[in-house]
Amino acid sequence: MDYVTITDHDTIAGALEIAHLPQVFISEEVSAYFPDDRCEIHVLAWNITEKQHEDIQRLRSNIYDLVPYLIQQDIPHACAHPLCPANDKLTIQHVEKLILLFSVFELNGARNDVQNETLRSIVAALTPEMTSRFEEEYNFASLLAQPWNKHFMAGSDDHSSCNIARSFTRITPVGGTDEGNTLPAPAHLLQAVMQGNTSVNTVPATPLCFAHNLYAIGYQFYKNSTDLAQDMHYSSALRFAENMLTGAPELKPLSVKTRMLTLAGVLLRFGRGKRTVEKSMQANLLEAAEQVIAQFPQLQFAASETNTIQALKDLPQREEMLTHFISEVTEKVQHVCVDAVLEDILKGNFFNVFKLIGSIGSLYALLAPYGIGYSLFSKDRKFAESCLQHYGIQNCMRPQMAEETAIAYFTDTYCEVNGVAKSLQITLSLAAAHNKKLDMLTCMPQGSNAFLNDPKLAPINFPPTGSFSMPEYPELSLHHPPALKIIQHCFTRGYTLLHSVTPGPMGLIALLAAKMLNLPIHATYHTSFPQYVYRLTDDSSLEETAWRYIFWYYNQMDAVFAPSEATRQDLIARGLQPQKIHVYPRGIDASVFTPSWQRGDLSKEQQIKFLYVGRLSKEKSLHLLMEAFRRVYPQVPNAVLTLVGDGPQFGELQKMAKDLPVKFTGYLEGESLIRAYEKADIFVFPSATDTYSRVVLEAQAAGLATIVSGVGGPKENIIPGKSGLVVEQENAEAYAAAMLSLACHPERMQAMKRAARSWAESRPLRSAFMAQWQLFEKLKAQSQAA
């Protein structure tokens, strides 16, 4: 270096330690404040004396006193990262005051590049008329001759020694050299900065860069305060850390003897055949780190004993490599820990669960630097975009997102056979048809969406780090999402709202992403999970535990959407705030169905056909339907019952119906499902655990009289007594009576079928989607305003 200075925050102690050396000058970064609201601004002051430092410290509590002093003393200075809220008080009004105060602005290499580009755009738009308006509005005259004319300098703002010269300023000296020295004097160089004889170079920073800095600071502190360096050669993970997280790693190749001792040490440290979750979290992380490095050649190179920082000088590449490493390590350990939690829950080992949940918490603490980075960069981006909107400047970084709502749905189910998955596919299709920005994010094994006929319905899938199958539902699995990869995607994509469809693993990632990215988050309560737990286990304590989780989860949301008023009341009864819960509109495309009278199929000799469509499982109360049909059949000998669907109760129901005219079709879709609806007369849906039930609307769209339970949401999808019947008593006798009241009275049944079709036609799908989208936008605006 030709010249050296240190700009510590509000101190020159570091600079004074080397001030006796030639070609060193004293500088500092000043924490200054607007006196009225204590908004903090950082000011770079170069080539100062100790006396000037004392004066600066005395004056920095009032930026209106500090800046005139710097100008009067002819101290070269600049406003550091002017769009970065140092203490979360920065507003557009403060930025306009900074325009009047400073002639030089810093382009910062450690924060969001959106800030730098926004600052360039604002400066480019400045005019004498604008600065005159600022002077009049804020009632003070700028001390600058041309306050609309700005200059830039760039600095790395490197706190870890890993990003030196990430951003830098090229200076064209204005003349003059030190006596006997060919170098320009520091004063001449800094004068050139103040006059704008500079060009700046920056490598855009990202949250990955910010996290890299935090990891490096933590690692270097830990290394210097412990004997970690002595163990460096025993672990490729530590060699990787040394190469990636220090400015100048110093490693020597290991001897063959040392390598053998290292291998023995690793085997003794981690052991073989021991349950992974019983080890300490540190041991699990180190073991996973060794495995990840061995798995990827690029990470092996980064952990090489002979590698140096020069071989890894591509800064973005290093940051991406570190992120890949951290992500893979946490995914490996997460898989083991989450599986252990689920196993213990199923076995009733709840004390182990609490211990393991604590371990998972410490695991996610490893991701904290990324959380901080994404949170800060999201705030920075939001403020920068508000500045651009204020001045009517087009967003040069994300023009496609300007003032638009962009929503990411998080769901654990999408390609499975259930009502929620079908509704999501329809929602994605409608969003595309209305040119709305909506992505469906899910986590499922590769190839799971093979059955989707329309490529436009394909979700954005993140392959799971592992899966866990439920014994009661072996075909249903909980997939472990790759958290960091999903959060990176959300930040890059620039969503303005996150929406959780399910409270499972993907729903938890949605909540984590919302916290990290400072985004509003909504959720839909689709499934009565606690009631399902009770129906499947007959254990009220497990049901209560499920309710506690549901309350905790949905209480984190800015808004909760219930598919029915009954569901809304259930959530309110469990403690959720009523003003947070909204019943959202739902609809059906009735045009895809052709009722029997439109087909001319009104033969008096036809059978009375009862139909059920849905999952064949215990929580759907299908035993009531089978018992009711057994009572109906002797009185209506031409009655038949068709069950469309599949599930764990398939075999049991077949045994119950072995002497009855009951047909099991298995799972149907598309035209086959539509025909099944159209051939029926009466739709019976006895489930008391459904929050909405799309099949009830589909049945009415096909022109079927409908019978539903008096518990849950389906009863709100009919007009009681007109388009269908509500059974208030949850018993077979009540369902049999409702079925007979229609089967034995053809005129009433036909009138109800026509009313059902009219009711479905009054709820068009497209109108419901647009009403739902407008509700999203309204609530998002309210969340941001709050």
Side-chain angles (χ1 to χ4, degrees):
M1 295 185 183
D2 297 319
Y3 288 103
V4 175
T5 192
I6 298 176
T7 52
D8 279 334
H9 280 275
D10 303 314
T11 178
I12 59 172
L16 289 177
E17 288 188 22
I18 59 173
H20 63 283
L21 299 174
Q23 298 168 224
V24 171
F25 58 93
I26 300 172
S27 306
E28 69 177 312
E29 183 168 350
V30 185
S31 300
Y33 297 88
F34 283 96
D36 50 346
D37 57 11
R38 299 296 292 170
C39 175
E40 183 177 347
I41 302 296
H42 291 176
V43 180
L44 298 166
W46 301 295
N47 200 22
I48 62 176
T49 65
E50 292 182 66
K51 174 62 169 61
Q52 288 172 330
H53 163 68
E54 294 175 358
D55 293 339
I56 287 171
Q57 289 302 303
R58 176 172 50 82
L59 297 170
R60 69 184 180 90
S61 62
N62 188 334
I63 197 170
Y64 298 119
D65 294 333
L66 173 65
V67 174
Y69 172 81
L70 297 175
I71 295 174
Q72 184 268 326
Q73 292 286 310
D74 200 23
I75 297 174
H77 60 280
C79 181
H81 42 76
L83 298 187
C84 173
N87 60 352
D88 290 329
K89 294 185 177 182
L90 188 69
T91 66
I92 294 173
Q93 289 70 36
H94 291 118
V95 173
E96 293 175 346
K97 294 173 185 178
L98 294 177
I99 289 171
L100 298 178
L101 289 167
F102 294 93
S103 61
V104 180
F105 286 143
E106 179 204 39
L107 300 176
N108 190 272
R111 297 298 286 266
N112 203 323
D113 199 48
V114 173
Q115 284 187 337
N116 293 335
E117 295 305 316
T118 297
L119 183 61
R120 290 178 186 270
S121 298
I122 292 174
V123 166
L126 289 176
T127 63
E129 292 75 20
M130 287 178 65
T131 55
S132 294
R133 178 169 56 82
F134 295 163
E135 289 178 318
E136 181 178 350
E137 183 174 349
Y138 302 116
N139 195 31
F140 78 91
S142 174
L143 297 179
L144 306 175
Q146 295 180 330
W148 60 88
N149 187 19
K150 303 298 177 190
H151 311 307
F152 293 114
M153 52 81 58
S156 298
D157 204 4
D158 179 38
H159 291 258
S160 66
S161 78
C162 293
N163 290 282
I164 294 173
R166 183 187 191 98
S167 296
F168 57 90
T169 307
R170 293 186 183 275
I171 304 172
T172 303
V174 295
T177 62
D178 287 331
E179 186 176 347
N181 194 336
T182 58
L183 293 172
H188 296 146
L189 291 172
L190 296 170
Q191 184 182 0
V193 173
M194 297 302 294
Q195 294 178 0
N197 296 328
T198 59
S199 61
V200 295
N201 297 77
T202 62
V203 175
T206 67
L208 308 188
C209 167
F210 194 90
H212 183 223
N213 274 325
L214 291 183
Y215 282 119
I217 293 169
Y219 172 79
Q220 292 170 29
F221 173 81
Y222 184 66
K223 174 187 172 184
N224 293 333
S225 59
T226 66
D227 58 356
L228 181 66
Q230 299 177 14
D231 298 328
M232 198 68 64
H233 299 300
Y234 291 90
S235 168
S236 60
L238 293 178
R239 292 198 302 273
F240 176 84
E242 182 72 8
N243 282 338
M244 297 295 289
L245 301 177
T246 64
E250 296 179 3
L251 295 174
K252 298 178 181 179
L254 299 180
S255 65
V256 174
K257 179 179 179 180
T258 303
R259 291 176 188 273
M260 295 298 292
L261 290 173
T262 299
L263 177 60
V266 169
L267 293 177
L268 287 173
R269 183 178 300 178
F270 299 121
R272 291 176 180 262
K274 186 178 182 182
R275 188 186 182 199
T276 305
V277 294
E278 294 174 353
K279 305 171 187 173
S280 70
M281 183 55 66
Q282 181 181 7
N284 280 324
L285 289 171
L286 284 173
E287 184 172 18
E290 300 285 344
Q291 293 172 356
V292 168
I293 290 172
Q295 184 179 354
F296 297 96
Q298 68 270 34
L299 298 183
Q300 293 178 29
F301 169 76
S304 170
E305 298 158 2
T306 57
N307 190 23
T308 68
I309 204 69
Q310 295 302 318
L312 296 168
K313 61 184 178 180
D314 185 325
L315 298 174
Q317 181 189 28
R318 285 169 55 205
E319 293 152 10
E320 291 170 6
M321 194 179 298
L322 178 66
T323 301
H324 174 61
F325 171 77
I326 296 291
S327 178
E328 291 290 336
V329 169
T330 53
E331 287 171 15
K332 281 184 177 293
V333 180
Q334 168 195 273
H335 175 37
V336 174
C337 290
V338 172
D339 278 0
V341 168
L342 293 173
E343 286 177 9
D344 283 324
I345 288 175
L346 293 175
K347 294 176 182 177
N349 299 328
F350 291 106
F351 289 106
N352 285 351
V353 169
F354 296 134
K355 178 181 176 182
L356 289 167
I357 289 176
S359 297
I360 294 173
S362 64
L363 168 67
Y364 280 106
L366 182 65
L367 299 177
Y370 290 102
I372 297 171
Y374 281 114
S375 178
L376 287 176
F377 274 60
S378 296
K379 287 181 180 178
D380 292 350
R381 183 162 67 184
K382 189 175 296 185
F383 180 70
E385 290 177 346
S386 68
C387 290
L388 292 173
Q389 292 176 11
H390 179 77
Y391 294 112
I393 300 172
Q394 176 64 43
N395 189 338
C396 52
M397 302 297 289
R398 296 194 304 156
Q400 75 282 5
M401 292 295 183
E403 299 185 23
E404 286 191 68
T405 296
I407 303 177
Y409 272 44
F410 288 70
T411 178
D412 293 286
T413 179
Y414 187 77
C415 292
E416 293 80 5
V417 180
N418 58 59
V420 174
K422 182 64 175 178
S423 294
L424 293 176
Q425 294 166 22
I426 292 172
T427 297
L428 188 60
S429 175
L430 288 168
H434 288 83
N435 198 30
K436 299 298 182 183
K437 296 187 181 298
L438 185 149
D439 289 339
M440 204 68 63
L441 276 54
T442 190
C443 178
M444 56 190 178
Q446 297 284 16
S448 300
N449 63 339
F451 82 92
L452 292 176
N453 298 322
D454 187 351
K456 294 179 182 179
L457 297 181
I460 297 174
N461 182 46
F462 297 88
T465 62
S467 300
F468 185 92
S469 296
M470 305 296 288
E472 184 76 21
Y473 294 88
E475 73 276 21
L476 295 179
S477 296
L478 291 175
H479 302 303
H480 310 324
L484 192 53
K485 293 173 184 174
I486 296 175
I487 292 167
Q488 281 181 267
H489 166 82
C490 292
F491 180 82
T492 303
R493 181 74 174 132
Y495 299 120
T496 61
L497 171 66
L498 305 185
H499 187 95
S500 171
V501 178
T502 51
M506 281 298 288
L508 291 172
I509 296 301
L511 183 57
L512 179 64
K515 300 295 185 184
M516 283 190 175
L517 302 178
N518 298 292
L519 290 173
I521 179 169
H522 299 168
T524 303
Y525 185 71
H526 276 291
T527 304
S528 297
F529 180 66
Q531 291 93 322
Y532 275 29
V533 169
Y534 180 73
R535 294 279 178 141
L536 294 173
T537 66
D538 292 323
D539 190 328
S540 59
S541 63
L542 286 179
E543 180 188 20
E544 183 60 30
T545 299
W547 268 119
R548 291 186 180 186
Y549 171 73
I550 290 297
F551 172 78
W552 171 83
Y553 182 77
Y554 285 95
N555 198 42
Q556 312 297 311
M557 302 297 144
D558 297 304
V560 176
F561 295 95
S564 63
E565 181 60 30
T567 304
R568 180 176 182 270
Q569 292 302 322
D570 279 348
L571 294 174
I572 292 173
R574 287 289 170 172
L576 285 181
Q577 301 171 6
Q579 66 272 21
K580 180 182 287 190
I581 311 171
H582 308 268
V583 178
Y584 63 102
R586 303 290 290 267
I588 188 71
D589 183 5
S591 65
V592 301
F593 299 93
T594 305
S596 57
W597 61 85
Q598 292 183 6
R599 300 192 311 270
D601 184 13
L602 296 175
S603 173
K604 294 182 179 180
E605 298 180 357
Q606 65 181 353
Q607 297 172 311
I608 300 297
K609 298 177 181 178
F610 294 97
L611 175 69
Y612 166 85
V613 177
R615 186 169 177 77
L616 306 185
S617 54
K618 187 176 179 181
E619 74 275 4
K620 299 295 186 182
S621 300
L622 293 177
H623 66 288
L624 296 180
L625 174 58
M626 300 303 294
E627 293 173 14
F629 185 68
R630 184 173 293 279
R631 294 168 184 269
V632 168
Y633 181 58
Q635 301 182 55
V636 187
N638 64 332
V640 295
L641 171 63
T642 300
L643 277 72
V644 176
D646 203 345
Q649 213 178 8
F650 190 99
E652 179 185 345
L653 293 171
Q654 279 188 316
K655 291 178 182 179
M656 293 176 65
K658 61 182 179 181
D659 58 340
L660 294 171
V662 178
K663 179 181 179 182
F664 294 83
T665 69
Y667 168 70
L668 298 179
E669 63 175 333
E671 288 297 321
S672 298
L673 178 60
I674 292 173
R675 297 289 86 79
Y677 276 119
E678 293 175 347
K679 290 177 181 178
D681 298 297
I682 302 168
F683 185 77
V684 187
F685 195 74
S687 173
T689 59
D690 276 60
T691 60
Y692 169 69
S693 188
R694 178 178 181 80
V695 294
V696 172
L697 269 185
E698 290 177 342
Q700 292 176 100
L704 306 187
T706 305
I707 299 173
V708 299
S709 168
V711 179
K715 66 179 182 294
E716 297 176 29
N717 284 332
I718 69 170
I719 305 176
K722 188 173 182 181
S723 72
L725 300 177
V726 176
V727 178
E728 298 295 345
Q729 295 80 31
E730 291 297 302
N731 55 59
E733 293 85 349
Y735 278 100
M739 294 164 73
L740 287 169
S741 71
L742 295 178
C744 296
H745 299 87
E747 297 81 4
R748 185 187 187 197
M749 180 178 67
Q750 290 300 328
M752 194 167 283
K753 290 173 72 171
R754 292 180 181 275
R757 171 69 176 190
S758 297
W759 167 241
E761 289 176 329
S762 71
R763 303 177 69 176
L765 190 60
R766 287 177 175 265
S767 298
F769 172 80
M770 287 306 299
Q772 182 176 331
W773 190 271
Q774 290 165 6
L775 182 58
F776 283 172
E777 290 182 322
K778 175 185 175 181
L779 295 173
K780 176 178 75 74
Q782 291 176 355
S783 298
Q784 292 174 333

